[in-house]
Amino acid sequence: MKCIKAIWRRIGQRRQAREQAALTELKARYHAFRIFLENNGKALELIVNLDGQLHRAEPADIRATVDELLGVSNELVDGLNLLADGRHESLYVFHGRLGEHIHAELRSLGQGALARNICVGLDELEATALPQVGAKAVNLVRLRQMCLPVPDGFVCTIRACKKVLHSGRLGEQIRYLLRDVEIGRLQPEVAAAKIRGLILETPLPSEVAEALALAYEELEARERLTERGGEQSLAVSVRSSGASEDGIEHSFAGQFTSLLNIQGPEALHDACRRVIASGFGDRAIAYRINAGLPPFDFDLAVLVQAMVPATTAGVLFTVDPSWPDSGRMLVSAVPGLGTTAVGGAAPADIYRPLRTFGEEEGEEAAERPDELVEQHIARKTWREVPDPAGGLRREEVPGDEAERPLLTGEMLAQLVAIGRTIEGLEGMAQDVEWAYTPAGLHVLQARPLRLAAASGHRSPAPSPTEPLCIGLCASAGKAVGRVRLIHSIFELNRLEMELPQTLIEGPLILALPHSIVDAARFLPHCAGILVDMGNPTDHLACVARESAVPMMTEVRTGLTDLRDRQWVLVDADHGLVLEAPELVRSRTMDNHRQRLAAAEHGREAGRSRPPSVLSLSPVRQRLRQQIATLNLTDAYGPTFSLAECRSIHDLVRYTHEMAVMTMFSTGDQVIEEAGGLLRPMDIGVPFSFLVIDLGGGIRRRNSHSRRRLALLRRTLGREDVLSAPLGALCDGMTTPGLRWHAPSDLDALPEIVSRTMLDGRGVRPVGAFNYALVARDYLNLNARVEFHFAMVDAVCGRDAHANYIRFRFKGGGAGLERSHRRAIFFQHVLERNGFYTTVAGDLVTASLSGADKERITGQLLMIGRLFGFSRFLDSVMSNDAVPVYLAEAFLAGRFDSLEILAAMEAEGIDQA
């Protein structure tokens, strides 16, 4: 007898040792998986950073990021093979070969400078082109992107202007003069006069002169197409645009030459030389030296725009500098061109409207006009106007106009609205130059407004325009358009059918619950994209950057705070969504109709975007294709394989999917050996399962050793659960009012019986354990419930980038047709909750990623309710109307299946 007990004891000890070893291995694999997820997030962040660096960074910075990315992606390959017991070793070969190609491109990256155009149109520039075209031009580019009324034009780049200064011995002579100023041998004004003479005497290099003439001709042609040009030569304004100019740190306001009403290519060549020479004026030289800037570090571009023949013009400060807390703006207006307003050389009308001016209506505004606008109307004596022969001339203001206000209430309301819009875009108070013509308002310039208190410290500006919602920039840029709210794949497919009519209504701003991969096909038609969840590293964001479509993620309240077809202004650069002013809407629609008409006549195929001054060189483009481009988009399609990988981004996506699927199947591999360590769980519903705690998922209880085995076997309740995802799932299953039992349709009974008898053919047979691997922020549930198989894999932690839910559901006892309808029910519910969902027969696969902990918890709560609500649900799926009816009832918070089925029967929906 003692011998038998000893044998049983040794058998038990060996079993416990195997179970402990299996549990240790499972925990090690889980921790390896968490390290893998951290590396995955780091790799995606590096890819996004590199995507930006390829447009503007130095080769050395790009090489450093590439080296770090190759190291992290190699760790992903290591991590996957550790999880999968070496089943993906071929990834090492792929990674090595791809790394060799990338390093070969990196070696050639620094061998040649990027070719830049000499003259670039404003609509061909990106808002990130400041080092090439200066701050003033970039500011106007941003405003034109928002369809604000900014005159058309082009820029002679900083690179081209430097070419002018280095022609012949000009650069050497200028350096010599500036060195004399620095050591005190020469006065700035003397050096400035000599430099000016040298520049004006030196002809422009032939390639610069030809490029200016061509750009002028193209601008003239565009103006005539818009019916703004006349028969004579186009009149343009020629101004400076410096990389250090008009900024918040350094302001060269008033130090550089601005020339107006320049007509013809020859006059334009001379004007460009004069603007370049103004970069070396005595004030500019002294300012640079006093500000600690190198005197010869020339960073001016020349900005050329179509001339605005203003009837009245002026300056708008979005905050009254003398009284920042008054809630008022400050507007000055002069007759004719705005040159006298900027210089303060002539009497000007002064207006101080409330920042809310224009929002009051009817009697309210009429009862207190003096409160809305404080104004001082000056007696105007003279004005500057364009001379038909070129340049400007002065003329007297007629007596009947001298004391007449220059701005009407409507004009002033327009200015206030435009000022609030620009302030909202830039996030700070603005100094805006404007002009009115018979055609309407034009914005000539906008720059940060410096506000200083009496003490010398900067005074804070009032909060800019209140945004409708905020988010993170995933693809830079700004856009104006009409919102279309999309809650599901179903609505996205419906939008595709309605797309022609939708585009007639205005530019499309797509608002999505998360980064639905299928939305990528709409990018050629989108002005912008807003995503409640998601992050800058996901597939849709990558495609948006490739297509130069502004996109924001983590908007969170976009689908609730925005209205369908609402006009909005998307400022992805600053993560803001603002309401679009009426003037912006009308100009946007005018431009949009012109593009649609051009497309209809075959002159434009779909949405086109002009080439950017920052377009990538061939070497950088190849690097981008080998690193950042994502080719693996459908994780559940036949093309998702290593054979289709073309880039590091593909490799990261592939390893992540394989790692998740490996963890999905890990439990089945060890459950037999670790079965003794499984804890039964019962939460009071007909859905029981066993739990393996990987660490921190189940509450530990102190116990004496003799009671340890009994406690280990004790059934767990909801109060024992510390795992956030498992807790949310259990709370969903135990929702008050949720009915787990639905009656079976008698017509489906024969199929239920037959499928039960043949159930051994299923993925997991009846009687197999339902089990859950849990940690504090992890859940992997594999369950066989009656006649179907369900799996949930989720991470629910503080890092939204690492969080996800994967859900699969397959099978049913009432036949394939009814099981497919239940799958459609699942699809409808899951898509409305932001999941990306696919259905094949009775198999439902759904995923959600990039959400914060609160959102993940809420979705797991919903899935828990689905488990109860959908039990035996296939048996009542008698026709195609049933799944939609049930889904809408579930989404409306009706969880009593008997009550819903009774309502269906009363309406005749359940009749075949």
Side-chain angles (χ1 to χ4, degrees), residues 54 616-626 629:
L54 285 171
L616 297 180
S617 68
V619 173
R620 295 191 181 216
Q621 182 60 40
R622 288 195 297 271
L623 278 170
R624 193 182 190 284
Q625 290 172 351
Q626 295 171 350
T629 300

Side-chain angles (χ1 to χ4, degrees), residues 103-115:
H103 280 296
E105 297 291 354
L106 286 173
R107 285 192 291 271
S108 61
L109 182 61
Q111 293 177 0
L114 291 176

Side-chain angles (χ1 to χ4, degrees), residues 371-448:
E371 294 181 27
L372 300 178
V373 182
E374 297 176 0
Q375 60 183 28
H376 169 73
I377 307 302
R379 178 177 179 78
K380 280 73 71 176
T381 54
W382 60 277
R383 60 192 174 198
E384 277 194 323
V385 297
D387 191 315
L392 308 179
R393 62 181 175 84
R394 291 187 177 186
E395 65 178 25
E396 290 185 1
V397 176
D400 60 336
E401 299 178 19
E403 296 185 5
R404 185 186 305 165
L406 293 169
L407 298 179
T408 65
E410 181 181 354
M411 296 165 71
L412 198 58
Q414 257 190 347
L415 284 170
V416 170
I418 288 294
R420 285 203 307 266
T421 299
I422 299 175
E423 185 182 73
L425 291 172
E426 301 300 334
M428 62 183 68
Q430 293 290 301
D431 171 356
V432 181
E433 294 181 23
W434 55 269
Y436 264 102
T437 68
L441 173 64
H442 301 266
V443 176
L444 307 180
Q445 184 174 330
R447 58 184 169 225

